[in-house]
Amino acid sequence: MDFQAGILQDGSPMESLEKQLICPICLEMFSKPVVILPCQHNLCRKCANDVFQAANPYWQSRGSLISGGRFRCPSCRHEVLLDRHGVYGLQRNLLVENIIDIYKQECSSRPLKKGEHPMCKEHEDERINIYCVTCEVPTCSMCKVFGAHKDCEVAPLETVFQGQKTELNNCISMLVAGNDRIQTIISQLEDSCQSTEENSEAAKRELCARFDALAALLEEKKAELLQRISQEQADKTAFIQSLVCQYKEQLEKSSRLVETAIQAAEETGGAAFLMGTHTSVLSLPRIVEASKGGRLDKIEQGYESMDAFSVSLDHLTEAVHALDFDPAEEDEEYFDGEEEEVEE
């Protein structure tokens, strides 16, 4: 209590105390009840409710089916989450309310000193107590009667003060609500950015999987076609090798027959020669038949060619070059809608 008395005795601490008791929304001293936010900042309940209603326009009242809402502290921008009771679910700051009561009692008991109220520059003993609507400046009664504002329209200072202060408070509430909407849009854009990155990674994985599947299919088809070429090669080679064996066998027989015929041709005796040429091994008809060549199979011209296995991939090449993503008109329309919302 001694500490409070020490504060209240000096004018400068009183001014500092008054600044601590000013609501950041209405810019006036806190009005009861005073609610304390989770970030430990204080607001008039009415001001807190105005900010809450501006940030949650569809929240109706206590007992509503809507579960709750949120708004940001006007002092530190900390997000305040409320339940279905709205601002009525916030705890009252009784300490601040008691300090306000003590402050108001002290102010009411102190005599008004000269200099605490603005004085007119033209009439030093006259307090500024009216407002010149024409010139839009505060002035005193003497200025209206005899001074520069005698032909102007005036109004009570308190009336103009309350009207402009109310207008200022409304503007502050609108700014706070606008900041909340901007913060909401920023959060949505950040979420959209993260979703875009995640969707891009998913699209890349899907594209790679499809191309890998296509590559595997091409490899499988290539292996199948290579197998067909290899089979044709094996069949033709085996046939040619069989012909080579047959011709070698015929050549060997013909060579032996030549040797036998040469030996018979060297015989000088007629009887012996004729007896030798009329044998089954060395008969003249057999020699004549052998001299005409064998009747073995032959390969046709171009038998070794593999031109039948030529494959044209031009149409596949054109199809690969023509590969592209399917047009997504719905995504473009959604993106245009988001741009319009951001512009608003």
Side-chain angles (χ1 to χ4, degrees):
M1 214 44 205
D2 296 337
F3 175 75
Q4 291 181 351
I7 292 179
L8 299 178
Q9 287 174 0
D10 192 356
S12 178
M14 287 289 289
E15 294 178 0
S16 300
L17 179 60
E18 183 178 358
K19 291 180 180 179
Q20 298 299 321
L21 300 177
I22 295 298
C23 175
I25 298 298
C26 62
L27 301 180
E28 295 182 358
M29 188 172 296
F30 289 116
S31 61
K32 292 183 180 181
V34 180
V35 294
I36 181 170
L37 304 181
C39 56
Q40 303 303 313
H41 290 114
N42 299 289
L43 290 176
C44 306
R45 177 180 287 176
K46 179 181 180 303
C47 295
N49 189 62
D50 292 341
V51 176
F52 176 69
Q53 291 289 346
N56 302 270
Y58 297 106
W59 195 92
Q60 297 176 359
S61 61
R62 286 185 295 176
S64 172
L65 296 178
I66 300 178
S67 59
R70 62 185 67 191
F71 69 95
R72 293 189 177 273
C73 173
S75 299
C76 64
R77 307 303 300 160
H78 178 80
E79 189 174 47
V80 181
L81 300 177
L82 301 180
D83 57 13
R84 61 187 181 87
H85 299 289
V87 296
Y88 292 92
L90 294 173
Q91 185 178 1
R92 290 179 60 178
N93 195 332
L94 299 178
L95 176 60
V96 173
E97 294 181 8
N98 293 334
I99 293 175
I100 292 174
D101 291 338
I102 297 173
Y103 176 82
K104 289 182 177 179
Q105 292 176 6
E106 179 64 22
C107 290
S108 62
S109 62
R110 294 174 60 200
L112 186 62
K113 297 180 181 180
K114 184 178 180 180
E116 292 184 356
H117 194 284
M119 307 300 288
C120 181
K121 293 182 179 180
E122 298 294 332
H123 309 91
E124 296 180 356
D125 296 332
E126 293 292 330
R127 297 171 58 185
I128 295 179
N129 55 2
I130 60 175
Y131 184 82
C132 179
V133 179
T134 304
C135 301
E136 297 184 349
V137 293
T139 185
C140 70
S141 301
M142 296 298 293
C143 289
K144 168 58 180 173
V145 178
F146 304 106
H149 302 283
K150 62 181 180 179
D151 297 327
C152 298
E153 179 184 356
V154 296
L157 185 64
E158 187 66 22
T159 302
V160 178
F161 163 70
Q162 293 296 337
Q164 291 191 4
K165 197 161 190 179
T166 301
E167 183 179 357
L168 178 60
N169 292 336
N170 294 334
C171 292
I172 292 174
S173 298
M174 293 175 61
L175 287 175
V176 172
N179 290 340
D180 288 338
R181 286 193 295 271
I182 292 175
Q183 184 62 43
T184 301
I185 294 176
I186 292 175
S187 299
Q188 292 175 351
L189 292 176
E190 291 176 348
D191 293 342
S192 297
C193 183
Q194 182 178 358
S195 299
T196 300
E197 294 177 356
E198 295 174 355
N199 294 337
S200 298
E201 292 300 325
K204 290 178 182 178
R205 290 193 296 269
E206 182 181 359
L207 183 64
C208 291
R210 293 192 176 186
F211 269 84
D212 291 342
L214 180 61
L217 180 61
L218 290 175
E219 287 294 331
E220 182 180 354
K221 192 65 177 179
K222 182 178 73 172
E224 177 187 345
L225 296 179
L226 288 175
Q227 178 63 28
R228 290 173 59 184
I229 295 176
S230 299
Q231 185 64 41
E232 184 71 12
Q233 173 189 353
D235 294 343
K236 288 187 175 182
T237 302
F239 179 70
I240 294 174
Q241 290 293 341
S242 64
L243 291 181
V244 170
C245 292
Q246 294 177 20
Y247 277 98
K248 284 184 178 180
E249 184 179 354
Q250 182 178 359
L251 178 62
E252 184 179 355
K253 291 180 180 180
S254 177
S255 297
R256 289 198 301 269
L257 185 61
V258 169
E259 292 178 357
T260 304
I262 291 175
Q263 293 176 359
E266 292 177 351
E267 184 64 46
T268 57
F273 174 79
L274 292 175
M275 291 177 65
T277 56
H278 283 78
T279 62
S280 59
V281 178
L282 189 64
S283 62
L284 289 178
R286 183 180 178 187
I287 295 175
V288 172
E289 182 67 22
S291 65
K292 294 181 179 180
R295 300 181 179 276
L296 299 177
D297 294 334
K298 298 180 180 179
I299 59 174
E300 299 177 356
Q301 185 177 2
Y303 179 79
E304 67 279 2
S305 175
M306 290 290 181
D307 293 341
F309 294 95
S310 177
V311 177
S312 176
L313 300 179
D314 293 341
H315 61 291
L316 290 180
T317 304
E318 294 176 359
V320 170
H321 284 299
L323 281 177
D324 202 349
F325 298 106
D326 295 332
E329 298 179 357
E330 295 181 357
D331 294 343
E332 294 178 357
E333 293 178 357
Y334 176 75
F335 183 73
D336 294 340
E338 280 191 344
E339 286 186 345
E340 294 176 0
E341 182 179 353
V342 173
E343 290 177 358
E344 292 178 357

